Amino acid sequence: MFGGVTEFLAATRFLHREARPLERRLFATCFEGESPDGVVDALRAYRNADGGFGHGLEPDKRCPASLPIDVEIAFQSMAIAGAHDVPLLTAACDFLAGVSTDGAVPLAFPVIEDCPRAAHWTDWTYQPGVNPTAGLAGHLYALGFGHPWREAAARFCWNAIEGGTLPDEVHGLSEVMAFLAHVPDRERAEKHARTVLDQMIGTSMFQATPQPGEYGLTPLHVAPTASSPWRKLFDDAQIDAHLDQLAAAQLPDGGWPVTWEPPSEASRLEWRGFVTFQALRTLTSYGRLVHEEGGQ
């Protein structure tokens, strides 16, 4: 039964057994008190000479070239860990500035066509937009790291939010919610958050109620921890239902499944480590799992 240490320990063993070094380092930082420097060290393996990140850091495309989506995973990991490496962040922002259009960047570039990738990684990912620009800028605000590209990206995002040009697509809107969660102008962010969330709820891939085994985003993607500023946008019954479903999705091997088709078995296992760490973080934050210090 969830609430004890058994499920937490099973997930811990899954991460130690199957996850890549990045998620193991994130776990060690977030749950075992290890230095966030270990997360930065793991991220360095994915860096390129241009300052960007690649090499399948986001596992759905096995591409060595630097891609904005991989930079986003790097920023997200550093923000979760509380890591702050100025040279690494500066170089990554310089890379983003070099591939941006009016502050906006695309998820990927045509170079991915030469590499194995999931079926949904096609030419739509080459268009600059709030996905991933808003998420990248949001993570930089969470890190407290200023850079001229962040300011250009923020202008692009505010123009999209206030100009009524947001996409009618759940992932892009989720990125906007991440941006609004961390920007320093809290009054401005609060003013727009409910409207953006309503747009997100109206998309076909948002699961207002749990849909076990089906791919989609849920309230727990918007408020992944109990301290999220957007937790208040959902009632207790809705959050509890999704926490119940998330807890029930743990597999006998201790990890969580993915509900889409990655490009390889290695990619699937890397994603499982990613979503297992995220599930532990969410369930522990909301009090559904108990972390026993030092438990292995």
Side-chain angles (χ1 to χ4, degrees):
M1 177 175 151
F2 271 78
V5 299
T6 302
E7 291 81 6
F8 188 96
L9 292 178
T12 300
R13 293 184 181 115
F14 176 85
L15 290 173
H16 287 168
R17 186 175 66 248
E18 307 290 2
R20 57 188 178 175
L22 174 59
E23 282 72 34
R24 297 203 303 272
R25 291 286 198 156
L26 280 165
F27 178 87
T29 297
C30 293
F31 293 105
E32 297 177 339
E34 296 292 332
S35 169
D37 292 346
V39 173
V40 176
D41 289 341
L43 288 170
R44 291 187 193 283
Y46 297 92
R47 289 191 73 211
N48 286 313
D50 59 12
F53 291 81
H55 305 281
L57 180 52
E58 192 276 2
D60 265 348
K61 67 277 155 312
R62 318 300 281 177
C63 180
S66 294
L67 302 171
I69 183 61
D70 293 298
V71 178
E72 184 176 21
I73 296 294
F75 287 177
Q76 178 189 49
S77 299
M78 293 180 70
I80 289 171
H84 198 273
D85 187 289
V86 171
L88 183 150
L89 288 167
T90 300
C93 287
D94 289 345
F95 163 76
L96 293 171
V99 298
S100 69
T101 302
D102 297 326
V105 294
L107 287 158
F109 308 112
V111 66
I112 66 172
E113 295 174 10
D114 296 328
C115 304
R117 64 192 189 281
H120 58 274
W121 282 87
T122 59
D123 55 2
W124 73 271
T125 67
Y126 312 153
Q127 303 302 313
V130 293
N131 185 11
T133 305
L136 284 159
H139 295 315
L140 288 172
Y141 280 117
L143 286 162
F145 185 78
H147 187 277
W149 177 80
R150 187 192 72 175
E151 308 315 313
R155 286 193 296 273
F156 170 83
C157 294
W158 283 123
N159 287 339
I161 293 166
E162 298 177 336
T165 58
L166 291 178
D168 186 21
E169 193 276 321
V170 72
H171 299 90
L173 295 169
S174 177
E175 296 278 294
V176 173
M177 292 299 288
F179 171 76
L180 293 175
H182 298 295
V183 290
D185 190 340
R186 298 314 305 155
E187 182 177 357
R188 195 178 184 188
E190 296 280 348
K191 175 183 175 182
H192 293 288
R194 180 76 253 182
T195 299
V196 176
L197 179 61
D198 287 344
Q199 288 180 253
M200 191 176 174
I201 291 171
T203 64
S204 60
M205 283 200 292
F206 187 82
Q207 298 179 8
T209 58
Q211 299 174 33
E214 293 188 23
Y215 178 77
L217 302 192
T218 79
L220 297 179
H221 290 92
V222 180
T225 64
S227 62
S228 166
W230 308 141
R231 165 64 183 88
K232 64 192 176 189
L233 299 180
F234 304 97
D235 64 39
D236 290 347
Q238 192 173 27
I239 290 290
D240 286 344
H242 283 282
L243 290 169
D244 288 345
Q245 170 51 35
L246 180 61
Q250 187 177 22
L251 297 178
D253 64 6
W256 269 258
V258 295
T259 53
W260 66 96
E261 193 58 38
S264 69
E265 287 307 306
S267 176
R268 184 184 304 279
L269 202 53
E270 290 174 2
W271 270 125
R272 289 196 64 205
F274 182 96
V275 301
T276 295
F277 169 75
Q278 296 287 10
L280 282 181
R281 181 169 174 255
T282 294
L283 291 167
T284 303
S285 172
Y286 280 98
R288 291 300 191 92
L289 286 181
V290 174
H291 171 218
E292 185 178 71
E293 289 291 338
Q296 299 294 321

